[in-house]
Amino acid sequence: MTRRTAVLFAASLLFGMAGAYTVKAGDTLYSIARANGTTVAALMKLNGLPDTALEIGQELRLPGAAPAPATPAPQPPAKPPLPAPLPEDQLTPTPPAATVAGVNIRVPASLRMGEAFIVQLSGTRAAQATVRFPSEVGEDVRRPNEVLKPVGAAGEYVALGRVVLGKTTPVVYEVSLNGELVRGRIPVVGLDQPIQHLNLPTRISGLLQDPGRAAEDAAVEKAYALRTPQVWTRPFAPAMSGVKATSSSFGQPRTYLAGGPVAYHFGTDYPAPVGTPVLAVNDGKVILAGKYPVRGNLVVIDHGAGVASLYFHQSKLLVKPGQTVTRGQKIGEVGTTGLSAGPHLHLEVRVRGEGTNPETWMNRLWPR
């Protein structure tokens, strides 16, 4: 039983029918609050709701209803909290050093939230070094502090880093070789974007509660977990020709429903007429190609080195899982399937599962 299901079950046991409101089709927490002279926050607190999503037939207790029994219904175990960050002595930079065991290290001077970046290693032994990001421990990221082997050739190697959306504390990196270690910090700044309130109609926002969403999320998580060799050798290219991004830019905080929780936009949206060609941003292998409740007609391409590109909401798919594609190849057509209010392409570029700004990849072999 999921936490949300358990909450709804407990609510039905506690409140019964007396002094309660039964959710009908088209209801939102905002409309119920307004009709009953209360607020969304008050209803969420009174009913122990984890978010503003509702289900038809759900019972909501209203202000002034009889208090719940002193002994609540059993609840499933809470989701384990994130581990504590590493101790400060494991995050403190080592004395300034440009090399580790003869390998030169270069990193960006600063970073922005949601950026991908590279740690550059040069020298005859660069391929033998390993790179980690210990500051990821304690953050809501996939496989934090993973040991990374750099990729490259001829004494020039790189390891990909990622700055998770919501992070403004410094990125801490470590480069190790033969028992020697260099640790440094890179400052991070936010995006300073206003919250975008979409207020989607129920016929669209209801897809967030679709029973098939769990399987959809599991499928993309499986793709994020891939660690295959780098296959691209040319700079990344735009996913559509001559189409500019909309105001729904990468990293923008947004709400889907009035009074709903704030979530980041992990991709960039490109409006275009239905049928506009969608192009692979670089060489790779198709991991997913199918229709899903939220992402609509979706293609996921694995480019290797932990990099994947995702193409949402298409009207037509022209590739199949397992197929090899090349940069600029047509893989589908723009549409408005899934959680979409109009025809557009939602493009994501993920690094080891975390969303990074697609624009920082375009026309580059690696992000900065």
Side-chain angles (χ1 to χ4, degrees):
M1 179 183 291
T2 65
R3 175 172 175 164
R4 176 166 181 78
T5 302
V7 169
L8 298 181
F9 178 69
S12 66
L13 291 177
L14 292 177
F15 309 145
M17 295 299 294
Y21 177 83
T22 303
V23 176
K24 303 184 297 295
D27 279 341
T28 66
L29 208 57
Y30 174 77
S31 66
I32 296 171
R34 184 175 181 181
N36 290 276
T38 184
T39 65
V40 169
L43 286 177
M44 291 182 69
K45 181 177 180 180
L46 187 63
N47 291 275
L49 299 178
D51 53 48
T52 59
L54 299 175
E55 296 180 5
I56 297 174
Q58 177 181 348
E59 297 293 332
L60 292 179
R61 185 180 172 199
L62 301 175
T71 304
Q75 296 291 325
K79 182 180 178 180
L82 293 171
L86 293 177
E88 187 59 31
D89 63 345
Q90 296 184 40
L91 297 174
T92 301
T94 57
T99 66
V100 54
V103 174
N104 295 309
I105 304 166
R106 292 180 59 192
V107 298
S110 65
L111 294 166
R112 293 178 69 82
M113 183 194 303
E115 277 190 324
F117 65 97
I118 55 172
V119 176
Q120 296 177 274
L121 307 175
S122 59
T124 57
R125 304 172 67 191
Q128 302 169 32
T130 59
V131 178
R132 299 194 308 170
F133 299 97
S135 55
E136 291 183 342
V137 176
E139 297 178 345
D140 189 13
V141 302
R142 296 166 176 86
R143 294 173 68 170
N145 204 24
E146 184 177 347
V147 177
L148 306 173
K149 291 292 293 182
V151 297
E156 297 293 334
Y157 288 78
V158 301
L160 265 173
R162 58 200 179 171
V163 185
V164 180
L165 286 171
K167 176 184 176 67
T168 55
T169 54
V171 167
V172 177
Y173 65 90
E174 288 183 352
V175 180
S176 303
L177 178 58
N178 287 355
E180 295 187 37
L181 177 147
V182 167
R183 184 188 300 122
R185 289 178 183 252
I186 310 173
V188 174
V189 297
L191 298 179
D192 297 326
Q193 294 175 322
I195 296 176
Q196 182 184 37
H197 300 286
L198 298 180
N199 298 334
L200 296 176
T202 304
R203 64 181 177 82
I204 298 176
S205 63
L207 294 171
L208 293 170
Q209 307 303 320
D210 190 285
R213 188 180 178 187
E216 175 182 347
D217 290 343
V220 295
E221 288 294 336
K222 188 174 180 180
Y224 297 156
L226 291 173
R227 298 293 184 269
T228 56
Q230 176 192 351
V231 297
W232 78 90
T233 58
R234 297 175 292 172
F236 282 72
M240 288 195 295
S241 178
V243 179
K244 295 183 178 180
T246 69
S247 58
S248 291
S249 57
F250 171 81
Q252 186 161 30
R254 51 164 49 173
T255 63
Y256 291 97
L257 300 170
V262 176
Y264 286 106
H265 190 228
F266 289 100
T268 301
D269 289 345
Y270 299 87
V274 172
T276 301
V278 175
L279 314 175
V281 296
N282 220 324
D283 302 343
K285 181 179 180 180
V286 177
I287 302 302
L288 292 176
K291 189 170 186 178
Y292 296 91
V294 174
R295 296 166 178 87
N297 281 326
L298 167 72
V299 171
V300 178
I301 299 175
D302 174 37
H303 303 286
V307 179
S309 56
L310 294 84
Y311 312 77
F312 293 22
H313 309 311
Q314 298 180 74
S315 60
K316 182 185 295 185
L317 302 181
L318 303 177
V319 293
K320 297 179 179 180
Q323 182 177 339
T324 298
V325 295
T326 58
R327 186 184 71 158
Q329 178 178 336
K330 183 178 178 181
I331 60 173
E333 296 178 355
V334 168
T336 185
T337 55
L339 188 69
S340 170
H344 72 286
L345 172 70
H346 172 101
L347 173 68
E348 294 186 3
V349 178
R350 297 258 179 171
V351 173
R352 299 189 296 281
E354 304 301 332
T356 64
N357 189 345
E359 293 300 306
T360 63
W361 288 87
M362 295 303 108
N363 303 310
R364 296 174 179 170
L365 188 64
W366 296 96
R368 70 187 181 105

